[in-house]
Structures are given as structure tokens and as C-alpha cells.
Amino acid sequence: MEKYNFKVIEKKWQDHWEKNKSFKTEIDKKKKKFYCLEMFPYPSGKIHMGHVRNYTIGDVLARYKNLNGFNVLHPMGWDSFGMPAENAAKQNNLDPKVWTETNVQTMKSQLKQLGISIDWDREISTCSPEYYKHQQKLFLELFDKGLVYRKENYVNWDPVDETVLANEQVIDGKGWRSGALVERKKLNQWFFNIKKFSDELLDELDKLDEWPNKVKIMQKNWIGRSFGCEIDFDIEGNSEVDKIKCFTTRPDTLFGFSFLAVSVDHPISKYYKKNKEFSDFRDKCSKTGTTEESIAQADKIGFKTDLYAIHPLDKNIKVPVYFANFVLMDYGFGAVFGCPAHDQRDLDFALKYNLNIKTVVKPINEEDTFNVSNKAFTDAGIIFNSKIFDGLKAPSESVIKAIQILEDKKIGKKKINFRLKDWGISRQRYWGCPIPIAYDENNNIVKVPLTELPIKLPENINLQTSGNPLDHQNDWKKINIDGKNCTLETDTLDTFVDSSWYFLRFASANNSDVPFDKDEVNYWLPVDQYIGGIEHAILHLLYSRFFFESYQFPKK
Amino acid sequence: MKAINFQKNELNFNEPFKGLFTQGMVCHETYKDEKNNWLSPDEVFTDDGKDFYKKIDKKVKVKVGPSESMSKSKKNTINPQEIIKNYGADAVRIFILSDSPPEKDVQWSDQGMVAAYKFVQKFWALHKEIIIQIKSNKVNKNHNKDFEQFTNQLINKVNHCLEKFNYNVIIANLHETYNFLKKNLPNLDKNFTENYIKIISLMIPVTPHLANECLVDLNHTQSIHWPEVNEKYLIKEEFKIVIQINGKKRALLTTGSEIKEKDLLEKVIKLKEIQNFIKDKNILKHIYIKNKLINLIIK
């Protein structure tokens, strides 16, 4: 019996598919479409087994739908900007472009050998000017809509890779690529105003009935809509400070109040500028990153001020005000009231600094003698030791009721807060999409005119520099806009920007005039089945959803 | 800020990704030498699958660690290029889909890979025998309904698996198919080819090269499409539901699968043998055990 000679037979069919362009797709309005997409790979060298699995799963579906008479779009591209190329190039004295393109060729040939039914006529690569010129245009569109801005902000600084990391790229307080402990640093950064769409991004999740629940929950938690209250606390001890505003989700535990903690960047910090101990403390705080994980893991440390906060419902209660490393300026108002009995973090802090622990929520069947000592009680229960709040069911009744009372007394105000922060998109890196912005001689922001796009990356430059190699490209940085001498922005875009719209580009991959054609996008999109790893459940999918919202903004 | 006229950018869909599927990782055992340096699978060997030794120094015992997601840093990777070269793309596709549901992690196994390769080989051998049979015209003139039944049930199962991403079950279905064909090789009938083409067409998504090559032998290379299920050949699931009144059996009702509780109750109430019991009485509540029993509590 003859053996099955897969080498010959598989090659024969792969050549056949290639020659006949068997998987080429065009719009056919008489047929039902099916857009099958696997998350495009980073061209790191060769395909790995994870790719084999991902693309085989997608290919099974694409071929099945195709045989069922669907007009199947099954494209492939390369997420080809990013640090590995720059690092590899630096180490081996190569050009990142050459390194990347070699890898693309290798991986493309490997995918063909696996028999994946790709329409290669729609291949895209995010590092090619053909792709990123459209991205620069889209950036400027968002800029015009007021969805892009620049501000000085604390960033997660990766001291090894010498770059800024998004919160999503910090895992357990460490850089997701380098593994180095992340630090806090103040820099001028570009941001996308993703926070603006918090409600939409959250509410639309409920309509995604073909998404795994766990992914929706992860996104929900990430956006983190919380319902709470802002409270003004009167302050004593310094004539310059009379009030501090806090945000809390648990105003019902107000009688368990035993300290007030503010961020080292809180406006009141200006009164402590000359205090040596305070500046030392502030330096110490900068060793903690800005993500919740790194804050949660870091030792809770505080700096006691000479201020006292007065309980808004009982003027006799006065508690100390601390600067603390676990409070950040960009959550709430950079100030929280501490209730150690019902928040573990507050309890850790109180035990460390010997602060009062007053229990104000007890389990339903407990006596009034119930007392928290070293484990915060955070379950549902009954409010006690709290005067007017006594007897309320916590938190179901008590939160709403507490807000009502505080509003009536004009001490507080109902407020919805989000955990989601704006998306920092600046990277101090060479191998990324240049930001189409320049600065005039007075450092004013100037948009690069559309006629000047794309702003191409300079090629074959010296990468053996400190910080961002683009900072050292003096000729490249010079640009004349409307007769004025300007300097180009040297930050490049986070590569998550590249991947937050590539699925739209596949609909019009060869259109050099526009990022995508609306008719083509309306025919092919949405992606009917998107397949990829759970590790992208938050960042990539949320950014893509944001990008899609912001593109359509403002809706009429 | 000056007012800017935006072009209207609304698109006719709300979310970019309608369906999302998150697949699991590919895992492999990890190995370390006596100095706690990671070793790649290529650097170790074993005779019995229990004790592992270093290839370059067979006296050095290797510590076998837990199976973890393949990563360069732990050196527990398998190079797909090598595997495709040794076993072929179709075998790799079979293996990578076979052992676990796609949403779960899958363990790399050399034996599993070899088994997938052998399956491709033995399927091809069987296919060639089938072709000889078909061409010899020695097929049975009598109609053998088994083939229709098997084929249609297979289509039904595979459709179901494809819609639900149970791709590992499809691989199990392929093994069943092989066994069925092997067993029935002597009994091929005149309708066999028609069914066989359908079976092979079902294999295209998983093993596109092998399936297309088989179809060439069957002179079926044009307008290949997905086969349709003929419902006539599907086994209809039936359930005999015991009907009780206050815990005593009073009747039996036969239904097709998936009858809704509400519909069942309506049917029960209309039954003659039940109506005698319930007239002038109130049904206080009912207890339903899916596809088995319904108990009406009346007073």
C-alpha cells in the first residue's frame, strides 16, 4: 500500500490555493458575509505553538463557513511595531525594519505551510507607512474632536526598558516585558480620553451576547463604575487649609472614621514643600508604581501632618490627616477617609500607626459587642455605633440613606466614579508610529498638516543612545509648518493604538486614500468571530471598542 | 477652541467584535538540570517516560517540573516548523485540536502528535482500499441504510460541534468514522460514494490537504459544498414521562426531546386519564424532573 506522502501532497494543495487565489474575497452583496479574524501576531521570529492553535481554530471555522456558502473574509496582518524589534536591533546592530520584515517573511511562509486559508492580498503590517499614515490621520481627527490631549502626569516608568508603561502593562507591580519593578515619574504625555466613554463602554457590554462572560466581567471591573459620595471635611491646624474633599463608596461607615489620607500630590502638599522629612517621604512614594496592583502590594506608609479633620456629623470627633502612598491624585479627589474596621487597607494602616479602630457594621445576628481587631469586616450587615445611621442594612440601605442625609445637610453630594483612567499613548521609543504633532518656538502644540503625512520614521539611525533614539535625530525633528520653524514630537504611539483599528483596515486594506472605506466596512464588519488569547481580554479589546466609539463621536 | 465640522462617521453596527472566543494555551512539561538551569525538550531523554536524563551526559538526572504555558524563558517550547516538517500540516492540525476543548489549555505530547500522524496515514490507506472497492464495481446492489444513517448523524454531530467550538469532539468523530468505514468496507453499496463524498467534505476544515486529495480520487473537485443533513436518518430522541397525581402513577406520556415544562403541563392536563382526576380540583403545584416525571399536587 502506498504511503501518504504529505510533503508532496500538502505542497501541491498549498501551491494550488496560492496560484488560484482560492481565499481571495471581494464584496458580494448577494452573499451573506462572515468575517473570521484571529488576533494578528507580533512578528517575533517564528510562529510558536500558540499561533498554531489560534490559527488552526480560526481556519476550521473559516473553511466551514466558506463551504456553507458564506462570503468569508479571513485576513492576516502583522502587529509589527514594538520593543522586541528595537531591542533585537540594538543588540545585534541591525535595523528594526529589516529584522521585522525578515520575521514577517518567515512567519508568512510558516502559516502557508500550515494550510491556513488566508486572503493574502489584504495583508497589512502596522510598521509600514502605508498603514501608519492612516493612523496619523485618525489621530488628528481625534485631536480635532478634543479626544486627545497632553498633560504632565505620573507615569509607570520601566527603569530597564526606559519607557512608560500603561497601567495594563504593569503586572504585579512589574513591567510586563522587562519584569523590572515599576517606578513613578512625572512626564508630559499624550492621552486618549477613554474615560469620556466609560458609560458607553460599560453599558454596551451587556449587548455582547456572543462574548464569554469572564471577559465581560474583566472589562466591567476594569472600568469599575462605583456609586458613592463626595464629602467636604472641615480642617483644623493650619489657617491656609479649611476644607478637604474626599470621595467614598461607603459614606455609611462615616462613624468609623479614624484618619484622613491624602496623596503626596494633593494641593495641600505645597504647605509642606520645605519640610525635609516630607520630601524624603515623597521620594519614597515614587518607588511605588501607579497601578492598583503595585499600590496594593507596596507597604502602606504615611506621613503625619499637623492637620486634623473634623467629623462632618459630630464636631467632637477630630482625626489626624496623613499623606499616604496608597492614595493617588487621579482617583476621586486624591483624598480618602479611613475606616479601619471595614477596609483591610485602612486597617493595616491604622495598626501600623496606632490609630483608633471603631467598628460600625456588625453581622446581622451579632450583639453590639462585636468588635473588629485584625481582620476588617466587609460583608453585609447592620450599622451600629453610628447615631442616625443605626439599624440600617449595610450596604443595601445604608449607602443610599447616608448620601441622602449628607446631601440634606449640604455636607456631601452623590457621585459616580470610574476606576478607568485615560489611556496614556506616549512611548519614549523609536520603533513606533510617530505622533503627527510639532511644537513651535514657544512650545505651543501645532498639528502636522495632512499634506505632510505620513511623518515617516527615519531609517537606519543610531539606536545606541540613552532614552529615546528619536530625541537625537536633530535633522528629522525639524519641520516647517506655515512658515514657522517647529520641532516634531519624538514620542511614538503605544502599539496598542496600532492594533485598536486594524480589523477595520482589513476591509479596505489596499485603499491608499482613506483608512477604510465606509461602504466596505459596513459590509464586512462587525467581525463575526474574533479568536485570541484571554490575555487580551482587557487592554486590546477595550481600546478597540474605545477607538470605534471615538471614531463615531459625536453621534447625532 | 474653534468649531470644527465633523464628517458624519456613524457606521451601521455598534460593536466591532460580535463574537469572541478565547482559546487556551499550549503547555509542556518543564525540565531543569542539577544546577537549576532550564532545559529544552530536545536536551532531555527518557526510556520509560518517568525518569529523564540529560542527553549530553546521560548520568545526569533531570528534574521534571509542572506543565506550563510554552515560553522561551522556560525553554519548554516545541518548534512548529520542525513538527510540520516531520508530520505534515494536517497531522499537526489534528493534534492541536484533539485533546482539549479549544477554550482550555492543551498539553503537548509527542505520543499524541505521533498518533495524529498515524491517523492520517491509516485513513489514507483505508481511503485507497475504498477507492479500489468502488472502482471494482463489486459493490453490493442492495441498499444499505447504515451508510445514510451514519453519514447524516455524523453531519449533524459535526455541525453541532462546529457551532459550539467543540473541535476536540470532531477529532473523536473522525476516529469513529474511520472505525465505521473500516468495519463496513466489505459491505459498500451503490449509494456509498455519495455518502463518502459527504464524509470527506466534513473533513475539509480540519484536514484540508488530505480531504481535497481524497476528493480528487472521487472525481469530486468542482462545487464542493458542506453536506446537508437529511433529518429522516437522525435518531429521534424520545422520552417516556411518568405522570403522577399526588405521587401516584396515573399515566405515561411519550414526547420528543426538549419539551418545555409549560407545554408539557398543558398536554398533561388535556389527557383523558388525567382529566378524570383533576376535574373540580385545584392544582396546587407540580414537580417536574426533566424528561422523566411530572407530579401534580391537587386538592
Side-chain angles (χ1 to χ4, degrees), chain B residues 267-283:
Chain B
K267 260 192 176 172
V268 166
I269 291 167
K270 283 180 193 149
L271 288 176
K272 261 194 198 141
E273 53 267 60
I274 296 302
Q275 278 192 335
N276 289 335
F277 290 100
I278 59 174
K279 64 179 174 195
D280 312 327
K281 299 254 169 77
N282 284 331
I283 300 174

Side-chain angles (χ1 to χ4, degrees), chain A residues 4 10 12-14 53 59 64 67 110 113-114 204 210-211 518 522 527 530 532 545 551-552, chain B residues 8-9 11-12 15-24 81 89-90 93 104 121 163 209 213 226:
Chain A
Y4 178 67
E10 291 185 350
K12 178 184 106 179
W13 285 101
Q14 286 157 15
R53 193 173 195 206
D59 196 49
Y64 166 62
L67 287 165
Q110 291 179 320
Q113 287 168 44
L114 196 56
E204 284 276 329
E210 291 176 48
W211 276 39
K518 261 178 240 171
N522 276 333
V527 174
Y530 197 31
R545 297 179 61 229
Y551 172 74
Q552 297 185 86
Chain B
K8 204 174 170 203
N9 271 346
L11 297 169
N12 63 9
E15 284 280 338
F17 308 114
K18 186 162 162 262
L20 175 69
F21 186 84
T22 52
Q23 93 270 355
Q81 180 90 53
D90 284 339
R93 293 166 68 113
K104 296 263 165 65
Q121 290 296 336
E163 297 295 342
H209 312 85
E213 191 66 17
W226 196 251

Side-chain angles (χ1 to χ4, degrees), chain A residues 1-4 6-7 9-10 12-14 17 37 39 44 46-50 52-54 56-57 59-61 63-65 67-68 110 113-116 141 143-146 204-205 208 210-212 214-215 503-504 516 518 521-522 525-534 540-541 544-545 548-549 551-552 554-556, chain B residues 1 4 6-26 70 72 78-81 83-93 96-97 100-106 108 117 120-121 124-125 128-129 132 159 162-163 165 167 170 201 204-206 208-210 212-213 216 221 224-226:
Chain A
M1 186 56 68
E2 73 175 294
K3 240 186 134 191
Y4 178 67
F6 69 81
K7 281 195 177 124
I9 293 171
E10 291 185 350
K12 178 184 106 179
W13 285 101
Q14 286 157 15
W17 294 326
L37 184 65
M39 292 179 184
S44 54
K46 301 169 188 159
I47 61 168
H48 56 65
M49 274 299 166
V52 170
R53 193 173 195 206
N54 195 174
T56 301
I57 292 169
D59 196 49
V60 167
L61 185 64
R63 286 179 181 271
Y64 166 62
K65 290 291 175 183
L67 287 165
N68 267 296
Q110 291 179 320
Q113 287 168 44
L114 196 56
I116 309 290
E141 260 184 52
F143 184 88
D144 288 341
K145 292 178 183 181
E204 284 276 329
L205 280 174
L208 292 168
E210 291 176 48
W211 276 39
K214 61 179 173 189
V215 174
F503 44 90
L504 296 164
F516 41 86
K518 261 178 240 171
V521 164
N522 276 333
L525 277 275
V527 174
D528 292 276
Q529 189 64 59
Y530 197 31
I531 305 168
I534 188 87
H540 164 56
L541 291 170
S544 298
R545 297 179 61 229
F548 187 69
E549 289 282 348
Y551 172 74
Q552 297 185 86
K555 281 190 182 172
K556 281 158 206 162
Chain B
M1 191 179 181
I4 293 156
F6 300 116
Q7 57 193 106
K8 204 174 170 203
N9 271 346
E10 276 188 54
L11 297 169
N12 63 9
F13 50 101
N14 290 326
E15 284 280 338
F17 308 114
K18 186 162 162 262
L20 175 69
F21 186 84
T22 52
Q23 93 270 355
M25 294 179 296
V26 184
M70 286 189 183
K72 276 185 199 161
I78 296 285
N79 179 1
Q81 180 90 53
I83 299 296
I84 295 171
K85 204 177 91 196
N86 292 339
Y87 301 106
D90 284 339
V92 173
R93 293 166 68 113
I96 206 76
L97 297 173
S100 312
E103 71 275 14
K104 296 263 165 65
D105 290 352
V106 64
W108 175 265
Y117 169 77
V120 171
Q121 290 296 336
W124 178 253
K128 282 295 176 192
E129 285 185 68
I132 292 167
N159 280 346
L162 281 165
E163 297 295 342
F165 279 103
Y167 292 176
I170 298 177
S201 302
I204 294 176
V206 176
H209 312 85
L210 174 67
N212 276 300
E213 191 66 17
V216 170
T221 54
I224 301 166
H225 59 86
W226 196 251

Side-chain angles (χ1 to χ4, degrees), chain A residues 432-448:
Chain A
C433 172
I435 295 178
I437 290 288
Y439 305 94
D440 68 12
E441 279 157 352
N442 299 319
N443 214 19
N444 294 312
I445 293 170
V446 184
K447 277 164 52 184
V448 172

Side-chain angles (χ1 to χ4, degrees), chain A residues 488-506:
Chain A
L488 278 176
E489 171 64 82
T490 55
D491 285 353
T492 51
L493 289 173
D494 179 6
T495 56
F496 277 103
V497 179
D498 310 343
S499 55
S500 62
W501 69 283
Y502 79 106
F503 44 90
L504 296 164
R505 180 67 185 160
F506 279 131

Side-chain angles (χ1 to χ4, degrees), chain B residues 175-191:
Chain B
H175 286 279
E176 283 164 29
T177 304
Y178 172 85
N179 293 337
F180 173 81
L181 292 173
K182 181 94 185 159
K183 195 177 114 204
N184 286 284
L185 186 62
N187 315 319
L188 305 189
D189 72 348
K190 59 183 169 39
N191 294 338

